[in-house]
Amino acid sequence: MARYDVSRHLCKWRKGVRPDDGQVTRHLSPFEQQIVVPWLKTFPKRAYAKFSDSGPYIVVTAIIVYGTAAASDAADAAQDKSYRY
C-alpha cells in the first residue's frame, strides 16, 4: 500500500512504524515527579539573596517615585486653591 500524499522519504519511514495495539507502558520516574520540590526548598534562600542584593535600590526608587507623586499632587492642589475667588 503506497501513499502518494506525502514525500518519498516519509513513506519509507512510515513503513517501519508499528501501530500501537495495546497498553501504553510509559510512566514518570519518581525523580521526574518531584521536579518542583528542590526549587521550593532553595527558594527562601535565593529570594533573600536577590532581595538583599537589589532590594535597597528598589525601595529607594519606590520612595522617590511616591514622594514625587505626592509633592506634585500637593503642588497642583495648592495651585488650584490659589486661583479660587
Side-chain angles (χ1 to χ4, degrees):
M1 175 188 250
R3 292 196 54 171
Y4 300 105
D5 57 340
V6 293
S7 299
R8 291 182 141 202
H9 66 282
L10 290 177
C11 291
K12 187 172 183 176
W13 177 79
R14 288 186 180 172
K15 285 181 183 177
V17 175
R18 287 184 247 148
D20 294 333
D21 58 347
Q23 180 181 3
V24 178
T25 58
R26 294 180 65 187
H27 65 279
L28 290 175
S29 73
F31 299 105
E32 291 175 321
Q33 290 175 359
Q34 295 190 6
I35 197 163
V36 179
V37 173
W39 181 79
L40 289 175
K41 287 181 181 177
T42 61
F43 175 73
K45 184 179 179 183
R46 292 178 60 215
Y48 176 75
K50 287 184 178 189
F51 181 76
S52 64
D53 183 38
S54 62
Y57 299 109
I58 294 171
V59 170
V60 170
T61 303
I63 290 171
I64 290 172
V65 168
Y66 181 76
T68 303
S72 63
D73 287 343
D76 186 44
Q79 184 180 15
D80 290 344
K81 286 182 182 180
S82 68
Y83 288 117
R84 289 185 182 171
Y85 294 95

